[in-house]
Amino acid sequence: MSKILEQLATAIIEGDIDNTPKLVQKALDEGLEPLTILNDGMVMGMNEVGRRFKAGDMFVPEVLMSAEAMQAGLKVLRPLLVASGAKLLGKVIMATVQGDLHDIGKNLVGMMCEGAGFEVIDLGFDVPAERIVQAVKEHKPDIVGLSALLTTTMRQMAYTIKALEEAGLRDKVKVMVGGAPVDEEFAKKIGADGYGSNAAAGAELAKKLVGAA
Amino acid sequence: MRTNYRVNSGTRFHVFSKDQLEQLFWDTLHILEYTGLDVHHEEAREILKKAGAWVDGIRVRLPSYMVRKALSMAPRSFTLWARDGDPKKNIHIGPGRAHFGPGPTCPNFIDPYTLERRPYIKGDAELVAKVVDALPNIDFCESLGSISDVHVDLSALYEFAYMFPNTSKPIVAWSFRWDDSEAIHKIAITEAGGQEAFERRPNYVHYCEPVSPLVSTFEALDKLIFAARHRVPLVFTPCPIAGATAPCTLAGLIAQAAAESWMGLTLAQTIAPGLPFFMGGVTSILDMQTMIFSYGAPELALAECGLTELAHYAGLPLWNTGGCTDSKTLDEQAAIEGSFSVMAAALCGGDLTHDVGYTESAMTGSLFQLCMMDEAIGWSRRVTRGIEVNEETLAVEVIKSVGPNGHYLRHPHTRKFFKTEFWYPTLCDRHNYEEWKAAGSLPMRERVIAKVREILETHTPPPIKKETRDVIEKVLADAEARAKSGDTKKK
């Protein structure tokens, strides 16, 4: 790994929001490919963040800083990635289901997925099943991530999956679910493809669902 | 500008009012002046008599001015030093500070590998010192047992000789008599760099125990005199049993314990004015059904808090008791009894709180209990640290900037405070069910056992000087020779 990529990974790990875009620019100036900068620099850093978080050596506010640094770097990189037609890990649609106004957890999973190298489309909170179906048709994502914090709204996840089935889209996307009242058992029951117990686990799961982990 | 704004910098509670403390204080002096103690040490009686005590045979009564003079000389604040000078391991005794450590002399030990209860043996003191050295909330070291596989006169010396190289935290040492006190002292001053260097930075405390009710034994006072003459900080702690060797009522228990300890105080300050002195008292009850001296009773924690308040009222630090249990094993009873007494000691500011790791009513020392209590002490210390109230911690502006339906996770205010404002457990599990299950569904007990074994296998305590190692070898050889020759003279 070249020195600049190492510095970039370190900046991501340290959550250095100011320096990360500058290092991305420097790497581009040195002639490195955008996809190399992403995968061998930034994603390497984010993978280390995930590992440390799992081991209890990093805490949520610190992981968020890393994710923000990642986003700051991607701002520079994204137009170039699109222009070069480079393939990202995949596309994820995130939504908190209808009737539920909680979106912190969903946002965290989105940031972590972005950090892992996905393109993330955030539909926000209180999202009806029809809108999710429509977004799947429009964006053709690899994964739909559904979130709910309340026991009263978690059944909306089941209705959303059913709506995807009825629209004939269920076999075109993977569905992952998460949120405080949700567990593995519930995910299976409603026919989701996976459950993530926290933001880092959500991103891990997304990678697994596209066969990248 | 604020005026007359009063700040609580920690969480405290009080057992006694000022009036009650005044009454306890003067009634304790009354006991010393009108009943007095039997003092089984001729030289001690002579020293006390010369200083103003009334002596009738072995009975010694102290006019109250003598005790008050002694109290005025003893420091409330001083430092016990880590032998390697590590500032994180120094203990600063003073108002509002509680410290924790194991106790001495249990006959049995829970083997950390076989988990069996067995006699305490030579190597165990090393294991205890190592674990004490590694645990962040354990501040001082005692051995949790009496070594059974050496000559009966030498177990205290061997204990110290095995503990000293394996922790740099201050040690509280006991002994049988003058000659093992002397050997222990030689080890400590060698490491400190001589007697004068030791006096400036004492790295151990000498522990003596008089007998209840109202008896100062020859051994306790002889060791006290040794410590005072060599300026070793002192613990002088009776062990009165409410309902058996002390009044059944806790106020009387506390007053008698104080009187017993203050006889030692008066002698020590007469010999060595200003000597750091921990007032003592393991104050608990005789369980009237089983006849055991309870180490898990609420009365232990409550009486210790009361005794601590009396000590602080009189201007002395206290040798407190907590983190101990009557349970025979590492179970829910051990957790409840140990944690509550730890919390009580933390709340009252028990200056040196010992017996952390005692199980089976002080019959069996347990590294597991010690390790589990390290977590309870961390928890308690977070509570006693209290809630800081100021503009920044009240965060009115932060609340405004986040607003309704926002979140604080990425706010700089959160980043600034989340590590210091929150306490992070190392044994208590906060994972979700799936993660807990994936890690092996381990109950607390299993996690504690694993942590103790990991410390034993990986922790390396700071080394001692080569000359200290040589002195340890020499004092042990001399002591063995003395024991073989049958030399049992006291001095």
Side-chain angles (χ1 to χ4, degrees), chain B residues 157-158 161-162 165 183 186-187 190 464-481:
Chain B
L157 175 57
Y158 267 101
Y162 282 121
K186 212 176 268 173
I187 296 170
T190 304
I464 53 171
K465 296 174 182 167
K466 172 156 190 325
E467 55 261 46
T468 311
R469 282 205 307 275
D470 296 344
V471 165
I472 289 175
E473 255 176 57
K474 181 159 189 324
V475 298
L476 287 177
D478 290 351
E480 287 288 356

Side-chain angles (χ1 to χ4, degrees), chain B residues 5 30 38 67 107 114 133 137-138 166 194 261 267 273 280 325 352 387 406 408 424 427 456 491:
Chain B
Y5 182 80
H30 183 103
D38 282 353
V67 182
T114 66
D133 198 64
N137 292 305
I138 301 297
N166 286 294
S261 191
L267 179 61
T325 179
L352 288 186
I387 299 172
Y408 295 84
Y424 293 88
L427 283 168
L456 291 177
K491 279 189 199 175

